[in-house]
Amino acid sequence: MSSTSSTGSLSAAQARRITLVAQGFRDARHQQPTMRTLTRTVERTGLLQIDSVNVLQRAHFMPLFSRMGPYDVGLLDRASGRAPRRLVEYWAHCAAYMPVELWPVMVHRMHHHRARGHKWFGLPDDPGLPRALLREIEEGGPATARDLDDGLPRTRDNWGWNWSNTKKALEFLFFAGQLSVARRNAAFERVYDLPERVIPRSILERPEPTVLEAARELLRRAARSYGVATEFDLRDYFRMQESAAHREHVTPALRSLVDDGELLPVTVEGWRRPAYLHRDVTIPRKVHARALLSPFDPLVWRRERTEALFDFFYRIEIYVPEAKRVHGYYVLPFLLGDRIVARVDLKADRAGRLLQVLGAYAEPAAPEHTASQLLESLRELACWLGLDDVRVAGRGDLAPALRVQLREAD
């Protein structure tokens, strides 16, 4: 570890740069990203949160782009949907792709969900449906809920589809570890299958860790991905505070990692809670990053931490009525150097082959070259998405400068 101060205390800038390095924003981009590049990147992020919103690009693809640059999205499909799988879907931080070797670490969480029973998912008392569906997949092979619904009608209500009892039962079996996800189909539906047909045998045959060992491993991975973090940050990374299977073991596991010297207690300037520094971190004097960040990127997904690190107040407004939105529907923070300097409301107009900038807003301390750097990132994003150009609308104080840059570039 290189440092410009004692390990007992860190400046806010050091904490910010530690996190950026830990998250992979200082890794050299490969000219042609490969599966090795993807694996390295997921080692940094720890997992990839999945979200169905597709106004720009689905959430799990974006953190890879932010760190790797333009890449073939088929890499992620292969890593998660073909043998030998490197990633597997589970409820690790909400729905997420996680490294497949974490499957045994999640077994205690699976046992907990199984013990809660299928009624927790809003199913009738009769356990016959989950059993029948499990047997159907065992005998008939991978299937979606729609495949097994036998054409039952579904209605759209509020923000999503109303789940049929079939879907509820399959989700219970998924949470309980009795089913896994073989892949997502073209309609972004989960294709369920038996774990033994998805998870490599060498992983399934690993000894089941104790709950304390599992908690240690999740905290260790969270600490590596954050570099420096509070206890709540570490708990949240794999949503351990929501899991009764892990919750009571977090503090003892954290204490044991400190006792073993893997985590070093530190104070961070401006942070209200004590923090922990991973022993292998690098503290550079500068980080020269440039990236558009998904709302579900690990760098910004915990909003209180984002504000503490970057002095950047950020809320996703997808579920806010349009008239009450401040910045827009799908707003991405723009990282430049080691600061978040702007935010943009983006939409992929696939029919018109345009990346639409519906709003662009500068942060108070944004440097003069923010607009030109942002335009470079927007054009890179447009090209990756298969769009021909960028169009800037009128909202936001940064929009005029962005339009000037666009005209000059043309």
Side-chain angles (χ1 to χ4, degrees):
M1 178 185 73
S2 62
S3 175
T4 57
S5 72
S6 70
T7 58
S9 63
L10 296 168
S11 70
Q14 285 177 317
R16 189 166 58 248
R17 294 196 296 268
I18 288 168
T19 299
L20 289 169
V21 172
Q23 280 284 313
F25 285 101
R26 207 179 63 153
D27 292 344
R29 287 189 175 185
H30 294 165
Q31 186 173 3
Q32 182 66 46
T34 63
M35 188 63 74
R36 183 179 178 183
T37 319
L38 183 147
T39 301
R40 180 191 69 176
T41 304
V42 176
E43 284 175 356
R44 304 294 196 204
T45 65
L47 43 72
L48 300 169
Q49 185 175 341
I50 299 170
D51 189 80
S52 61
V53 175
N54 198 25
V55 67
L56 181 69
Q57 174 61 289
R58 297 200 192 277
H60 45 287
F61 293 114
M62 281 297 299
L64 297 172
F65 169 77
S66 299
R67 292 155 178 80
M68 293 162 44
Y71 71 100
D72 176 7
V73 296
L75 285 173
L76 181 54
D77 292 334
R78 291 202 301 275
S80 60
R82 299 184 200 172
R85 284 175 178 80
R86 293 167 172 83
L87 303 173
V88 66
E89 189 171 336
Y90 192 62
W91 206 259
H93 178 99
C94 302
Y97 289 117
M98 66 181 189
V100 71
E101 65 267 19
L102 277 182
W103 185 267
V105 179
M106 294 293 178
V107 165
H108 298 285
R109 194 172 295 191
M110 297 170 186
H111 289 337
H112 170 71
H113 289 305
R114 193 179 307 181
R116 294 178 76 177
H118 60 275
K119 287 192 292 183
W120 180 63
F121 281 77
L123 287 164
D125 236 359
D126 183 8
L129 179 59
R131 290 174 183 167
L133 291 170
L134 195 58
R135 186 168 57 250
E136 182 73 22
I137 289 175
E138 182 178 3
E139 296 174 357
T144 67
R146 195 174 298 275
D147 293 333
L148 299 171
D149 262 339
D150 199 25
L152 291 176
R154 302 167 105 195
T155 60
R156 193 148 182 122
D157 180 36
N158 295 329
W159 298 106
W161 289 103
N162 284 331
W163 282 7
S164 65
N165 281 345
T166 299
K167 174 64 173 175
K168 293 175 184 176
L170 289 168
E171 284 295 289
F172 161 70
L173 294 168
F174 167 60
F175 271 68
Q178 294 172 273
L179 287 177
S180 187
V181 177
R183 63 184 184 280
R184 294 273 185 155
N185 66 10
F188 201 60
E189 297 170 310
R190 284 181 175 135
V191 180
Y192 301 91
D193 202 356
L194 301 179
E196 54 265 36
R197 298 200 292 240
V198 174
I199 312 299
R201 183 176 176 181
S202 60
I203 300 294
L204 287 177
E205 291 180 347
R206 289 184 180 179
E208 182 180 316
T210 66
V211 185
L212 182 62
E213 289 169 343
R216 274 176 57 96
E217 182 61 21
L218 294 178
L219 289 171
R220 177 185 291 118
R221 287 173 180 255
R224 285 205 304 259
S225 290
Y226 268 156
V228 61
T230 67
E231 179 176 339
F232 191 88
D233 292 335
L234 298 175
R235 288 171 177 261
D236 178 71
Y237 212 88
F238 289 94
R239 292 293 165 91
M240 298 171 74
Q241 79 275 13
E242 297 177 6
S243 170
H246 291 299
R247 195 161 49 231
E248 65 186 76
H249 295 86
V250 171
T251 299
L254 184 61
R255 190 181 303 120
S256 71
L257 290 170
V258 171
D259 291 343
D260 291 347
E262 289 192 53
L263 298 184
L264 309 173
V266 293
T267 59
V268 178
E269 176 190 6
W271 290 20
R272 293 176 296 173
R273 297 187 178 97
Y276 299 89
L277 182 73
H278 194 275
R279 67 183 176 192
D280 296 332
V281 301
T282 298
I283 312 178
R285 293 184 180 275
K286 293 183 179 180
V287 174
H288 301 286
R290 192 187 73 193
L292 288 160
L293 304 171
S294 159
F296 304 97
D297 192 293
L299 188 65
V300 296
W301 67 22
R302 184 159 141 64
R303 310 309 187 200
E304 181 182 331
R305 177 181 169 87
T306 303
E307 194 166 355
L309 278 173
F310 296 99
D311 193 23
F312 181 76
F313 182 82
Y314 181 50
R315 296 292 183 271
I316 190 168
E317 298 181 89
I318 290 174
Y319 305 114
V320 176
E322 185 173 1
K324 295 184 177 181
R325 290 177 194 145
V326 176
H327 295 106
Y329 179 79
Y330 203 76
V331 176
L332 282 72
F334 179 52
L335 173 69
L336 187 62
D338 68 352
R339 303 303 300 258
I340 294 176
V341 300
R343 66 188 90 201
V344 281
D345 182 18
L346 300 181
K347 179 180 180 181
D349 176 3
R350 295 176 176 87
R353 299 185 64 82
L354 290 171
L355 177 60
Q356 294 186 353
V357 183
L358 304 178
Y361 307 84
E363 288 299 291
E368 290 184 5
H369 62 290
T370 294
S372 62
Q373 292 293 300
L374 175 57
L375 180 59
E376 286 192 37
S377 290
L378 289 169
R379 286 198 146 158
E380 184 181 55
L381 174 62
C383 183
W384 178 59
L385 294 175
L387 307 173
D388 294 334
D389 208 351
V390 176
R391 177 175 293 171
V392 181
R395 286 194 290 108
D397 61 330
L398 189 57
L402 202 53
R403 281 197 296 272
V404 169
Q405 290 292 326
L406 192 58
R407 284 196 300 269
E408 291 179 352
D410 291 339

